[in-house]
Each structure stands twice: as structure tokens, then as C-alpha cells.
Amino acid sequence: MVKGRNVEVPDHFRIHVADRLSRLERFDPLIYLFDVELFHERNRRQRKSCQRLEITARGKGPIVRAEACADSFYAALEQAAEKLESRLRRSKDRRRVHYGEKTPVSVAEATADLIDESLRRPAANGVVDQEVDQADYAGPGHIVRTKVHPAAPMSVDDALYQMELVGHDFFLFHDRESDRPSVVYRRHAFDYGLIRLA
């Protein structure tokens, strides 16, 4: 509906309004009426914003309204339609489920029961990574991951080389000289340290 207060609304403007507002129906198919009102400000000092237009979208949901002032009704219609489009887009986005109990089930949760544990293979380098079940997790300060590495005896130089390849600050290895577990670690100023069990 297009109506004017103290303004005659020409038919070509009604057609332009219907064409412009038909693009906004995609945001909410439940809108059944766009109510457009035109006002003319008679004050000469407000010549730049003397044409005022107000659009009200009525539907089954909340009422959405936008208004704009410009020097012509066409410019005011464009400004008001952009504001209304932004508000309808926000309203549509608000209706989507974003949080809470209504959150859709993720693909990982839905397919978690389908994974057969016997098909799980260790990584290419032989490292077995075991995560602790979330039900067993009692808070901070507990072991939540366990890694088991195959340990071939190696020298301290080989252990330092492996540590640099991995990019860690320490490396646990089986020392060939002492035949015991040992750790090399990075110290300040490009120095290294070695810890051996007695």
C-alpha cells in the first residue's frame, strides 16, 4: 500500500515502489504487506530533506520499519529500502539457531559411533596417540594424552638432530652408551643439556 500525506502519489511511483520492495520479500516469506507513507516537509529551510518516506513491513513475525529523508521521493525510497533490507537480514539471521540446546548435531558427533576402533592404525612413524575420554577428565592437573614412541638406541648427537627436526625443546631417547632412557633439552644461548637416569 502506498499512500501520501498532503502528497499526490503518481502511478509510475507506485510501480517503482512495488518493483523495489518485491526484492525484499526473499528475506521473509511471511511478510504480507508493505505499508509505504510519503510526507512532504513544507519548511523551506529543510529543502535538502523535505521528502520523507516511511516503509513498514507487516508479517507474522515482528513488524520492521525504516524511514528516510531526501530531496526526492526516489532517493528517500532507496535509502529506506536499504535500511529495511539490513533490518530484515538481521531478523532472518536472528531466527537461525546459533547456540544453546537447539544447536544442530555436528558431523563428528553424528559419525562418532560409526568408527571401528580395530581399523585405527598407528601413524606412519609408529607413534600411537591415545586421547583420554572426556567422561574421565576430572579437571586441570591430570594426564589427558599419552604417546608411545618406538625407541631404537641412538647416540646423543642423533638425539640432538632428531630434536631439531621435530622442533621441540626436548627429546626423550634410548641412549646407546649407557643403555638407559635419557633426555636432551635446549638451554639458553644455543646450548644443550642432557639428563640421564642413574
Side-chain angles (χ1 to χ4, degrees), residues 153-165 171 173 176 184:
M154 65 177 69
S155 67
V156 175
D157 289 336
D158 291 338
L160 289 172
Y161 178 70
Q162 290 291 328
M163 180 182 74
E164 292 297 332
L165 284 178
F171 189 78
F173 69 101
R176 187 182 306 150
V184 289

Side-chain angles (χ1 to χ4, degrees), residues 86-118:
S86 173
R87 290 174 185 164
L88 286 171
R89 185 177 285 131
R90 271 188 281 157
S91 175
K92 181 180 180 181
D93 188 48
R94 201 175 289 134
R95 285 192 301 267
R96 286 189 191 156
V97 177
H98 292 289
Y99 55 87
E101 296 175 356
K102 298 178 184 176
T103 304
V105 178
S106 69
V107 176
E109 290 177 22
T111 59
D113 297 337
L114 302 176
I115 298 173
D116 187 7
E117 291 295 327
S118 63

